[in-house]
Amino acid sequence: MKKILLSSMLFFSPFLLADAKLDLQKELSKLTSFDAHFKQTVFDEQKQPLQHAKGQLQLQQPNQMRWQQEDTLLVSHGEKTYFFDAFAEQVTIMNTESLIDSTPFVLLTHHQDMSLWNNYNVTAVNGSYELTPALGQQSQVEKLILVFDGNGLGFKTILILDSTGQQTQFDFEQNKVNTPLDASLFQFTIPEGVAVDDQSQGE
């Protein structure tokens, strides 16, 4: 799935960073479920748009996520995550915790898993939360920015800056929060005849 440490962070004390992380975890704990459509825009290093797409994101505590966009589907439930590329007719099975470096969306449904959260620093900036890799952590993501809707409707915007300089922005609409979602949304049955790449073993 294709898809951010700034010098200014040096001025934040460890206590402020810890407070911001706790505040964000509290916000996420209030969001027992989230179901929204999104518009995705990918920008290059010069902030010029490269690509547009649409999709749907569904989250449910604990540890459940469904991401659908055009010919691709990502379904995560507990320890394993399935990524289905309909065009390539291939399913990749991954260990969910191993995705944290490339898909920090995993944090959104793992707000109590400190083994994952310790990989990131969190700062509160102008009503949003910025997550950056902790010192010494290798990550494809340089910054993740979460902007909450001010009316209690979950996320308004999520931005990801990756190590290549590209920025991906997700703008959410038709948000539904804290409405129980059908458990079947987070179950994945491998279609017949597709190639299976199981990367979940031995990780």
Side-chain angles (χ1 to χ4, degrees):
M1 195 175 176
K2 293 183 181 178
K3 322 279 148 265
I4 289 178
L5 285 168
L6 297 176
S7 60
S8 61
M9 288 184 62
L10 297 176
F11 297 98
F12 288 89
S13 75
F15 300 104
L16 292 177
L17 292 173
D19 287 346
K21 183 178 291 187
L22 289 173
D23 287 345
L24 175 54
Q25 289 173 311
K26 288 178 182 178
E27 287 294 327
L28 292 175
S29 69
K30 300 174 186 176
L31 199 63
T32 58
S33 72
F34 180 71
D35 182 358
H37 293 263
F38 62 81
K39 296 178 180 179
Q40 174 185 332
T41 307
V42 179
F43 300 89
D44 63 17
E45 295 180 65
Q46 287 72 44
K47 309 301 182 185
Q48 297 300 310
L50 293 174
Q51 182 183 8
H52 298 276
K54 294 181 179 181
Q56 185 172 8
L57 173 64
Q58 292 158 314
L59 306 170
Q60 186 156 265
Q61 306 288 359
N63 310 342
Q64 298 177 90
M65 176 172 64
R66 180 185 179 91
W67 178 286
Q68 189 158 18
Q69 180 177 315
E70 298 179 348
D71 292 330
T72 60
L73 172 66
L74 184 144
V75 178
S76 181
H77 183 98
E79 295 182 357
K80 290 189 177 183
T81 295
Y82 297 83
F83 176 63
F84 177 46
D85 187 329
F87 181 79
E89 298 185 332
Q90 177 173 313
V91 174
T92 304
I93 307 173
M94 297 161 286
N95 182 300
T96 301
E97 289 195 9
S98 71
L99 294 175
I100 191 65
D101 292 339
S102 58
T103 312
F105 280 94
V106 172
L107 289 173
L108 305 184
T109 58
H110 289 68
H111 64 274
Q112 293 180 328
D113 192 338
M114 293 309 299
S115 65
L116 295 180
W117 279 88
N118 286 339
N119 294 330
Y120 284 85
N121 292 318
V122 181
T123 56
V125 181
N126 296 326
S128 65
Y129 293 92
E130 294 188 1
L131 291 80
T132 56
L135 187 64
Q137 292 292 327
Q138 299 295 319
S139 177
Q140 298 176 35
V141 175
E142 292 188 3
K143 182 182 291 185
L144 172 69
I145 301 176
L146 305 176
V147 183
F148 284 87
D149 181 276
N151 298 310
L153 292 176
F155 303 108
K156 178 181 180 181
T157 301
I158 294 178
L159 299 97
I160 298 176
L161 178 66
D162 68 25
S163 57
T164 69
Q166 280 192 356
Q167 179 174 293
T168 304
Q169 178 171 324
F170 303 91
D171 295 305
F172 295 95
E173 58 188 11
Q174 302 177 45
N175 298 18
K176 299 176 183 178
V177 300
N178 298 342
T179 299
L181 302 175
D182 195 307
S184 64
L185 290 170
F186 308 101
Q187 302 293 334
F188 183 79
T189 300
I190 299 175
E192 292 185 7
V194 303
V196 178
D197 179 13
D198 190 348
Q199 302 178 5
S200 66
Q201 302 303 317
E203 294 185 355

